[in-house]
Amino acid sequence: MSLKHEIRYFLDGVDPVIMARGEDYYRSGQVKCIDWEERHVTAEVSGSEEDPYLVELEFSEDGELEHWSCDCPYDWGPVCKHTVAVLLTIQVEPPKKNQKKATGEKTDLQALVEKASKEQLAALVLEHCQEDRRFRSQTVIGLSTNGEQELAAGGLVQDGGPRGEFVGKILKTAEDPVFDGWDHWRYDLLRRAAVLADAENGGQFYHLLDRLSGQLWEKLQYVPGYGYEKEDRLTRYYITRSAQGEETARRYLEQNLEVDELRMILIREDLAKKDYANAERLCRKRLQKERDERRYRPGQWQYLLYEIYRDWGRREEQISQARKLALLGDRDFYQAMKDLLTEDGLRRRR
């Protein structure tokens, strides 16, 4: 899928109120200074404060949005209006990728870092962590994630290895007050650590999630159907898959279809198994709900239904869905519909 379509998929799951506010920021030209280096995007967005907010996005090679952050104080959900405004800007006109600048300043900095001792670098990082809360959160997550990857790469998570000790450190880190107000980073850390969950330690993960949800309820931040409740369910899925196996994880998905991300995972599983009929059923079921929602553009479920029919080989349904997407305003699918009809016409003539 293209970057434009992947952004549409992501925005389709954003809270409607935040989406509307982000659209206002986008239309009023609040997004400034977008820079793209490789797959990393940084942008400044003017807001209520004198200094602009910094939005950072990380895309995969396929154009999927993997990570996002904003240094604004919004903490009622995983996506803020500033992030939405930047994504809408990129969707209309993707930023030009910057080539790496081989400046003397950068070369000097790299040389200084390489010459510095471990103690000097650690002191600088710790000092900056004290001054910048966001940098502190990213440092905790980054170092914990790197440790997990190194542990797995070294084969140390096998039975008999230090899995229990490492899981204990990860869970303790996830409860660190540094994440207060940035709970989406906390859940992200737990999802990454879920690869270490097994039948013995799975209960520790679940108990921690129970405590976190209880704390967020007290702060009125754990809203059913929104925000951290969705983060909680997604995290529990990855833990369940690792600790209890794919069959139990699939049952969990089937019981939590109201969370769009989990419904999407189940549909993707069905497509991988070529169970197109069930994938279509799950997608159409979600589209029934979409009819009651205001839409200014095609949603991810419309695109997914087209993909299902394409992979299934259902030609007439694929053409019909391409026509629907074109009528909803995606000009790319006008050409797709035209090409499909032309191919069918050539086949009949033969």
Side-chain angles (χ1 to χ4, degrees), residues 275-285 305 308-309 312:
D275 188 354
Y276 300 112
N278 197 52
E280 180 197 25
R281 180 186 66 82
L282 291 168
C283 188
R284 285 198 169 278
K285 193 75 174 177
L305 190 59
I308 291 170
Y309 289 139
W312 199 354

Side-chain angles (χ1 to χ4, degrees), residues 12-27:
D12 195 63
V14 174
D15 181 272
V17 174
I18 299 302
M19 189 69 205
R21 292 174 180 171
E23 288 175 338
D24 289 341
Y25 267 55
Y26 160 68
R27 285 193 291 265

Side-chain angles (χ1 to χ4, degrees), residues 35-308:
D35 293 314
W36 186 323
E37 185 173 344
E38 295 185 351
R39 299 193 299 274
H40 186 80
V41 176
T42 58
E44 294 183 354
V45 183
S46 300
S48 55
E49 300 295 331
E50 182 178 351
D51 294 329
Y53 295 114
L54 179 66
V55 174
E56 297 188 62
L57 309 172
E58 189 78 30
F59 292 90
S60 69
E61 293 183 357
D62 298 327
E64 180 182 358
L65 181 59
E66 293 186 321
H67 299 288
W68 62 94
S69 66
C70 178
D71 60 1
C72 74
Y74 176 76
D75 60 1
W76 284 81
V79 184
C80 67
K81 59 188 176 184
H82 309 104
T83 302
V84 169
V86 174
L87 287 169
L88 288 171
T89 304
I90 294 174
Q91 186 180 21
V92 173
E93 186 177 354
K96 295 180 180 179
K97 298 182 179 180
N98 296 335
Q99 294 183 351
K100 295 182 178 179
K101 300 177 182 179
T103 63
E105 180 182 356
K106 184 173 182 180
T107 303
D108 292 342
L109 178 61
Q110 182 175 350
L112 285 172
V113 171
E114 291 176 349
K115 291 179 181 178
S117 68
K118 181 178 179 180
E119 290 74 18
Q120 287 177 308
L121 294 175
L124 287 171
V125 170
L126 290 173
E127 181 180 355
H128 195 48
C129 283
Q130 294 296 324
E131 299 173 353
D132 190 329
R133 182 180 181 185
R134 178 168 165 271
F135 178 76
R136 185 182 178 193
S137 298
Q138 291 176 320
T139 300
V140 170
I141 292 172
L143 295 180
S144 297
T145 301
N146 289 340
E148 170 200 330
Q149 292 173 341
E150 292 171 6
L151 191 64
L156 299 178
V157 297
Q158 302 296 326
D159 292 340
R163 178 194 293 261
E165 179 183 352
F166 190 74
V167 166
K169 291 180 179 179
I170 286 285
L171 299 183
K172 183 177 180 179
T173 299
E175 288 194 278
D176 194 304
V178 69
F179 288 106
D180 291 348
W182 301 82
D183 291 272
H184 54 283
W185 289 107
R186 177 177 273 139
Y187 283 109
D188 184 64
L189 172 59
L190 289 173
R191 282 196 292 273
R192 292 172 181 273
V195 68
L196 298 172
D198 57 23
E200 293 184 3
N201 63 36
Q204 298 177 47
F205 283 90
Y206 295 130
H207 290 156
L208 174 57
L209 289 172
D210 290 341
R211 290 198 298 275
L212 293 177
S213 62
Q215 294 169 8
L216 291 169
W217 267 113
E218 293 177 1
K219 298 176 185 177
L220 300 179
Q221 291 180 312
Y222 191 90
V223 183
Y226 298 95
Y228 296 123
E229 193 249 359
K230 183 171 67 174
E231 296 270 6
D232 178 273
R233 292 207 205 180
L234 279 168
T235 306
R236 288 177 187 271
Y237 162 71
Y238 288 108
I239 293 169
T240 299
R241 186 177 67 178
S242 180
Q244 302 181 51
E246 294 184 2
E247 185 176 340
T248 303
R250 183 176 178 86
R251 288 199 297 270
Y252 180 88
L253 291 174
E254 293 170 345
Q255 295 166 0
N256 290 274
L257 291 174
E258 64 272 21
V259 178
D260 283 347
E261 288 81 354
L262 296 177
R263 181 184 291 266
M264 180 65 74
I265 292 173
L266 187 56
I267 291 175
R268 290 296 179 190
E269 286 186 0
D270 286 338
L271 287 176
K273 296 188 299 184
K274 298 185 178 181
D275 188 354
Y276 300 112
N278 197 52
E280 180 197 25
R281 180 186 66 82
L282 291 168
C283 188
R284 285 198 169 278
K285 193 75 174 177
R286 179 58 180 81
L287 281 169
Q288 290 177 4
K289 177 183 177 182
E290 193 170 273
R291 293 171 187 169
D292 300 328
E293 301 171 354
R294 294 184 64 185
R295 291 290 169 186
Y296 302 99
R297 64 192 185 283
Q300 65 172 329
W301 306 103
Q302 295 286 1
Y303 288 107
L304 182 57
L305 190 59
Y306 175 85
E307 183 181 341
I308 291 170

